[in-house]
Amino acid sequence: MPNADRAPALRNAGLRVTAPRLATLEVVAEHPHADADSVAHAVRERLGAVSRQAVYDVLHALTEVELLRRVPVAGRSARYELHEHDNHHHLECRVCGRLEDVPCAIGEAPCLLPHDDLGFEIEVAEVVYRGVCAACRDEAATSAAATGASASSTAAAAQLDSPDSSSP
């Protein structure tokens, strides 16, 4: 959402235009997938004395009117992004917490339907795919290789030092 659209978006959502709300929208636009503490820190850097609770309240209000989208992340703080109403999902690395947008798996919202909707009219499916990103897999492979090489050289050195390995 461009800067010029933020004040009208707040008004259209029935919210007053305030410096903390504008700053929060700006921070989240610049840092998608930031957690609440990161957003609060950045808003305080821009505006000065704004309490953490005030920023949390702004995040909640902006999420309620769907200007922001709250993305729950397993075992970590929820993340926030501008709500683009574009029906995308997320990939989450369970090692480093990296969160990436991915297009919907199957067309329009809701792109996934339960086997039994139990009488609900389904509007949206929130999907977070969890796994390990390429960078974390590469780092793990490098660490394993280094650990394996270190363990092999340590074992070889120990074998050379043992009395059983000396020649008769």
Side-chain angles (χ1 to χ4, degrees), residues 40-142:
H41 179 75
V43 167
R44 282 195 305 272
E45 282 184 347
R46 290 166 198 242
L47 299 180
V50 177
S51 73
R52 177 180 294 178
Q53 187 60 50
V55 175
Y56 280 39
D57 291 345
V58 167
L59 287 168
H60 179 74
L62 296 175
T63 301
E64 284 294 309
V65 296
E66 294 187 348
L67 291 176
L68 294 183
R69 183 175 177 192
R70 183 179 183 275
V71 181
V73 183
R76 301 178 197 276
S77 298
R79 311 287 182 81
Y80 293 87
E81 64 185 5
L82 292 179
H83 200 320
E84 302 290 347
H85 303 278
D86 63 352
N87 197 37
H88 71 270
H89 301 303
H90 295 93
L91 290 168
E92 175 198 356
C93 178
R94 62 179 175 75
V95 176
C96 69
R98 178 177 156 200
L99 194 65
E100 294 290 339
D101 294 342
V102 293
C104 179
I106 309 169
E108 298 178 8
C111 65
L112 301 172
L113 296 173
H115 292 289
D116 183 354
D117 65 17
L118 301 173
F120 281 69
E121 183 177 315
I122 307 296
E123 298 169 352
V124 67
E126 296 279 341
V127 177
V128 177
Y129 300 97
R130 291 189 175 87
V132 180
C133 70
C136 288
R137 283 195 324 272
D138 291 347
E139 186 177 318
T142 301

Side-chain angles (χ1 to χ4, degrees), residues 139-153:
E139 186 177 318
T142 301
S143 294
T147 303
S150 175
S152 295
S153 61

